[in-house]
Amino acid sequence: MKKVIVIGSPGAGKSTFSRKLQNITGLPLFYLDMIFHRPDKTTCSAEEFDEKLNRILEQDRWIIDGNYARTLPVRLAQCDTVFWLDYPLEVCLQGIESRFGKPRCDMPWIETEWDEEFLEFVKNFHSKCRPEIQRLLGEYPEKEIIIFQSREMAEEFSRRWRENCGKMGIQ
């Protein structure tokens, strides 16, 4: 595992899982939200985003956290491992609400309330985005694809990975 993407609905806990994975593996971690969003809540152009993403993809090792469906095919082509946090809507909504008012290393501002457009995107994620993710993942049978359907599954994976690394003497 040298080139990893972590995908899932907003609020699933991609960034939290990615940080745990980084701590276990030592792979450099990149947040797509930090590339796309600016502190003043504006966004970069598609060209600027692609340029920054391509510089990451050229590296030998990475974890890339985020969906950004437009660029998912290129990231899938480059990665060796996919973690998909495929959680129910209610879990994701709770995840979003739990981060209100808290600074995050994966977002350049502090969320304080629901944004209606964002809320609609999250509510429609399972019906609109999930089928496309499933289709794209099906195009890469050679990739290691790990799907978690609950936070507990992801936590158990992290715990086992840490234990196995400890047994092998890996820090």
Side-chain angles (χ1 to χ4, degrees), residues 54-102:
N54 286 331
R55 284 198 300 263
I56 295 166
L57 293 172
E58 289 171 356
Q59 297 179 31
D60 294 333
R61 305 168 67 234
W62 38 256
I63 299 169
I64 299 175
D65 164 324
N67 287 313
Y68 293 81
R70 183 180 65 79
T71 65
L72 186 54
V74 72
R75 287 179 285 129
L76 279 169
Q78 298 272 338
C79 76
D80 55 50
T81 307
V82 177
F83 288 96
W84 182 13
L85 283 58
D86 186 22
Y87 301 163
L89 172 61
E90 298 75 26
V91 171
C92 298
L93 292 174
Q94 289 169 354
I96 293 167
E97 199 161 1
S98 72
R99 64 193 190 200
F100 287 167
K102 298 175 184 171

Side-chain angles (χ1 to χ4, degrees), residues 15-47:
S15 298
T16 300
F17 180 79
S18 295
R19 283 189 298 278
K20 288 178 183 179
L21 195 59
Q22 179 190 36
N23 288 337
I24 294 167
T25 64
L27 294 170
L29 172 57
F30 301 93
Y31 301 106
L32 294 181
D33 281 342
M34 290 298 285
I35 295 171
F36 186 66
H37 296 286
R38 295 187 173 123
D40 64 0
K41 296 190 178 183
T42 61
T43 58
C44 70
S45 68
E47 294 78 19

Side-chain angles (χ1 to χ4, degrees), residues 133-145:
I133 291 171
Q134 288 175 312
R135 185 190 70 73
L136 285 169
L137 292 178
E139 292 181 10
Y140 294 93
E142 75 282 6
K143 305 293 181 178
E144 180 75 23
I145 299 172

Side-chain angles (χ1 to χ4, degrees), residues 1 16-26 83 148 151-171:
M1 183 178 354
T16 300
F17 180 79
S18 295
R19 283 189 298 278
K20 288 178 183 179
L21 195 59
Q22 179 190 36
N23 288 337
I24 294 167
T25 64
F83 288 96
F148 300 127
R151 293 191 194 284
E152 294 77 18
M153 288 177 73
E155 190 57 42
E156 178 66 13
F157 176 89
S158 297
R159 185 187 62 74
R160 286 186 180 173
W161 191 281
R162 277 190 305 272
E163 287 175 1
N164 288 337
C165 288
K167 289 176 185 174
M168 295 184 293
I170 299 171
Q171 295 298 323

